[in-house]
Amino acid sequence: TRRLPLSRFSVSSPKEYSGSSTFPAELFKGKATHSVVLREGFENAVSMYTVPDRDVATVECIPVAVYLNGEFWYDTYMQEKYNDTYFRQTFGVRNVEFYKTGINDEILGFIGTHDLTKDSDYEAFGEIIDIQSYIDYICANVYLGNTDYNEYQNTAMWRTVTRENDSYGDGRWRWAFYDMDLQTAGCRRNYGMTDS
């Protein structure tokens, strides 16, 4: 996307410039926002709303018009960023590790050295990852027809670095929707759209 004429923008509110680490306007209902991304991608935006009852992290997206120096640039989508503010407001956790380049070596290493058909190994695996989150993530991607994810790319995961509580702060890896642009077929099918 760096080669495209209508580039993505990352916009943040650094405290040293504005006196506040969040924007004064409420960009997303009920949330203080530190940073946003302006990015094309109707499919990416719509996909975030397809799994409200699943154990997969999603960000809010809203359509916006971008003006630069008073000149209309393009229509696009503004979306939240996965960052400390997002995880604190959405899941009530603070010290989060976010990984977006695929499934990490800890998980792949465990799978390669254990037999998940054994109850003891499966239970131990459930201490490393939130298995329901992984199932929901895979099922949603298959249903939407996302062709641009696998265990090595466009797979985003997060966890708390230290145990904070028994819910989202338990230190297990969970999945997040990320870069969902190449699932046009599924998105169009599910929302009754055609190619015309």
Side-chain angles (χ1 to χ4, degrees), residues 52-163:
D53 57 344
R54 300 294 175 211
D55 192 11
V56 178
T58 59
V59 290
E60 288 193 52
C61 302
I62 56 175
V64 295
V66 176
Y67 287 81
L68 291 178
N69 298 325
E71 180 183 348
F72 175 75
W73 200 251
Y74 60 90
D75 290 317
T76 191
Y77 292 87
M78 177 175 66
Q79 77 172 40
E80 292 178 279
K81 287 182 82 171
Y82 291 115
N83 56 28
D84 291 342
T85 302
Y86 167 85
F87 287 106
R88 186 177 65 252
Q89 292 183 140
T90 307
F91 298 104
V93 294
R94 296 197 171 274
N95 193 7
V96 171
E97 178 180 4
F98 184 68
Y99 191 84
K100 62 181 181 182
T101 55
I103 297 176
N104 69 21
D105 292 337
E106 176 189 10
I107 296 170
L108 294 175
F110 187 94
I111 292 169
T113 57
H114 292 77
D115 181 357
L116 297 183
T117 63
K118 294 180 179 176
D119 289 345
S120 59
D121 285 353
Y122 187 78
E123 288 173 15
F125 192 50
E127 295 296 318
I128 298 171
I129 74 165
D130 181 325
I131 294 174
Q132 189 60 55
S133 179
Y134 181 67
I135 290 170
D136 288 350
Y137 176 78
I138 294 298
C139 289
N141 275 281
V142 169
Y143 181 72
L144 292 170
N146 184 7
T147 60
D148 193 29
Y149 84 100
N150 58 45
E151 59 270 24
Y152 302 107
Q153 69 176 17
N154 290 341
T155 296
M157 309 180 320
W158 68 275
R159 70 173 178 183
T160 53
V161 176
T162 56
R163 189 177 188 91

